[in-house]
Amino acid sequence: MAETKESQLLEESLFIWKTGDVYTNPTEVKMSQLILPCHANHRGELSTGQLLKWMDTTACLSAERHANCPCVTVSVDDIDFEHTLSIGQVVNIKAKVNRAFNTSLEVQLKPMVPGTSEEQMEHSIAAERRRMRLRHLETIKALVSSSTIQNEPNSEEYQSAVPAGKTRVESIELVLPPHANHQGNTFGGQIMAWMESVAAISASRFCKGHPVLKTIDMFHFRGPSNVGDRISLKAIVNNAFKTSFEVGVCAEAYHQEVWDRKTHINSAFLTFVMLGKDGELSTLPCIKPEPG
């Protein structure tokens, strides 16, 4: 019965589109932001954390149009940063629901009916991305359970490696009302911005310069945080390769009254590179992990 209703809605949407009427996806949300100095880093470029906040807000508004109820961010797929933006430029962000999955125990979501051939393609790809997300979590769990500590190599290059402990960064943020939605839940974009900030500090300690963020692995929110919570953020360089290096970040939430009972809400892995004066990728030193 549900499949028949969905097919009927699809036919009606396609009929409107093919007959020449202007089709507008009802979940589509557009946001334009002028990049001001308060949004930029020391180089006058748009802060990656600020961009993540804008993207998360736009996506949330789109999700709420479809669900007709408050929504929170659960996960974010891998993000690749291809270009930088500067003060004075305008960022145009567009979000729309590609597909709805009936996996929530609290809200039974209605199906998302694609209205154009492009949306039909995005609808199909969304299912594949979801499959990859679930498989990604299983793969990480398997790696953690089966991994072994490798012996330190004896090469001269490794002996001069940067100790990972010197890249460790810890910070605590207080969740205030501007950081949360009307339900009091912390915006996912705000947490991502805080995580990007501590990761950038850790990265700069390693390369002794101004690193450039290139990719972020999937963000997966394991639990909520609320106004009044403290968010403990920890970052450290996990490993360095020839021209790139990975920073791991962990975010935990706790109440001041029970500060020793922290809840792990997110972990992420961010990949940075270091550019030389000529704009080429710099060769990086090795990283020496902490014992154990």
Side-chain angles (χ1 to χ4, degrees):
M1 186 69 179
E3 292 182 358
T4 303
K5 185 177 180 180
E6 182 174 347
S7 300
Q8 183 180 356
L9 290 171
L10 174 58
E11 290 176 0
E12 292 175 354
S13 299
L14 291 176
F15 174 77
I16 293 174
W17 177 56
K18 289 178 179 178
T19 53
D21 292 344
V22 177
Y23 169 78
T24 302
N25 189 310
T27 70
E28 185 174 293
V29 174
K30 295 181 179 179
M31 176 187 291
S32 294
Q33 293 283 356
L34 174 64
I35 302 175
L36 302 174
C38 61
H39 304 142
N41 58 24
H42 60 281
R43 294 192 296 268
E45 300 169 349
L46 174 63
S47 164
T48 308
Q50 181 63 63
L51 178 60
L52 291 171
K53 289 170 66 175
W54 285 338
M55 292 171 63
D56 178 69
T57 301
T58 312
C60 182
L61 292 172
S62 175
E64 291 184 343
R65 279 192 180 182
H66 180 71
N68 292 319
C69 64
C71 296
V72 294
T73 305
V74 174
S75 65
V76 179
D77 285 353
D78 297 347
I79 303 174
D80 294 317
F81 298 95
E82 299 179 358
H83 304 285
T84 58
L85 297 171
S86 304
I87 294 174
Q89 291 185 297
V90 175
V91 180
N92 296 310
I93 302 171
K94 182 173 72 173
K96 61 181 178 180
V97 175
N98 290 330
R99 189 161 186 163
F101 303 96
N102 189 25
T103 57
S104 171
L105 298 179
E106 298 178 359
V107 180
Q108 300 301 311
L109 293 175
K110 60 185 177 182
M112 176 60 202
V113 181
T116 66
S117 57
E118 180 184 358
E119 290 182 358
Q120 290 179 56
M121 179 183 66
E122 293 170 344
H123 184 76
S124 300
I125 295 176
E128 180 62 18
R129 276 199 298 266
R130 181 173 184 269
R131 185 190 67 80
M132 292 174 63
R133 279 195 296 270
L134 297 175
R135 188 171 181 179
H136 179 268
L137 292 174
E138 295 175 356
T139 302
I140 292 298
K141 290 179 181 178
L143 284 173
V144 172
S145 61
S146 62
S147 64
T148 57
I149 299 176
Q150 300 179 352
N151 294 325
E152 297 180 3
N154 295 319
S155 65
E156 184 178 341
E157 180 182 9
Y158 190 81
Q159 298 304 319
S160 60
V162 177
K166 290 188 176 181
T167 70
R168 183 180 296 279
V169 176
E170 297 188 18
S171 178
I172 296 177
E173 299 286 351
L174 172 62
V175 181
L176 300 173
H179 303 144
N181 60 21
H182 54 286
Q183 297 269 314
N185 296 316
T186 315
F187 285 121
Q190 180 62 68
I191 296 176
M192 289 190 286
W194 284 333
M195 295 177 75
E196 186 274 334
S197 179
V198 295
I201 296 173
S202 174
S204 64
R205 289 183 178 179
F206 169 69
C207 65
K208 295 181 173 60
H210 303 301
V212 177
L213 177 60
K214 297 301 293 182
T215 63
I216 302 178
D217 282 0
M218 294 180 181
F219 279 103
H220 180 73
F221 291 91
R222 303 169 184 268
S225 60
N226 308 98
V227 172
D229 283 353
R230 275 68 172 172
I231 307 296
S232 173
L233 302 148
K234 299 178 181 179
I236 192 171
V237 175
N238 289 330
N239 207 342
F241 312 99
K242 185 176 181 180
T243 57
S244 65
F245 58 102
E246 179 190 278
V247 179
V249 187
C250 174
E252 298 175 311
Y254 67 94
H255 296 289
Q256 183 61 29
E257 296 77 11
V258 285
W259 59 270
D260 56 336
R261 290 166 51 188
K262 297 179 180 178
T263 302
H264 180 202
I265 60 173
N266 205 327
S267 288
F269 303 97
L270 299 84
T271 300
F272 291 84
V273 297
M274 183 68 180
L275 300 180
K277 294 181 179 180
D278 55 359
E280 298 295 323
L281 295 176
S282 300
T283 301
L284 299 165
C286 296
I287 191 78
K288 185 175 183 180
E290 293 183 323

